[in-house]
Amino acid sequence: MSAGALDSALAEARYALASVRTTSPHSSALGDASALNGLSTLLTGIPAEVRAAYSHTVLGPLLQPRTSSTAVLLETLETFLGHDGSWARTAEALHLHVNTVHYRIGRIEHFTGRDLSSLRDRLDLWAALLCRTETVTPAG
């Protein structure tokens, strides 16, 4: 094994250890880098303070102050992204008219400064939603 491969293996092991410590701090479970197979899993190795700061930076006014209107916008954003940006499926899931979904997405874009037709912005918002919870748990 080359020195470069050892460096890479050590980095993976450190990340896996940080991930396990974050998701199971009182467990003696062992993890390996092969379990890092999704964004939510990747985020487990990032300290909670950094995740919270990222979430607050990206979601901004949608988190402060938490009101019923911002809660509705967060639910709409989660549903929209969870349905791969489908206006119709989001409307159906939320029991809304599609025009209401368009209006809410426009408000979300206004508050966050992000464009939900952009993949980069969608990924930023999805990661921020995953980071806003106290602990990120890997998707099963």
Side-chain angles (χ1 to χ4, degrees):
M1 185 177 272
S2 71
L6 286 175
D7 286 342
S8 177
L10 179 60
E12 285 184 19
R14 285 182 176 151
Y15 195 89
L17 177 61
S19 177
V20 169
R21 284 182 176 162
T22 300
T23 58
S24 305
H26 304 294
S27 170
S28 61
L30 296 175
D32 64 67
S34 67
L36 298 173
N37 58 8
L39 180 59
S40 61
T41 309
L42 178 66
L43 293 172
T44 62
I46 298 173
E49 306 80 35
V50 175
R51 292 192 313 261
Y54 180 77
S55 180
H56 284 281
T57 299
V58 174
L59 295 173
L62 295 180
L63 296 177
Q64 304 169 356
R66 292 197 73 152
T67 64
S68 61
S69 62
T70 59
V72 165
L73 292 177
L74 283 171
E75 178 187 22
T76 302
L77 178 60
E78 287 176 325
T79 305
F80 182 75
L81 294 175
H83 286 89
D84 302 319
S86 169
W87 302 97
R89 289 186 313 193
T90 300
E92 183 179 329
L94 294 174
H95 307 288
L96 299 171
H97 190 278
V98 73
N99 288 346
T100 304
V101 175
H102 280 277
Y103 172 78
R104 289 182 183 180
I105 295 299
R107 299 301 300 152
I108 292 164
E109 290 175 330
H110 169 77
F111 285 130
T112 63
R114 307 287 172 143
D115 176 0
L116 280 159
S117 67
S118 160
L119 178 59
R120 285 180 192 255
D121 287 347
R122 283 186 186 187
L123 289 173
D124 286 344
L125 289 164
W126 184 249
L129 287 170
L130 291 173
C131 287
R132 78 188 161 102
T133 58
E134 288 184 32
T135 57
V136 176
T137 55

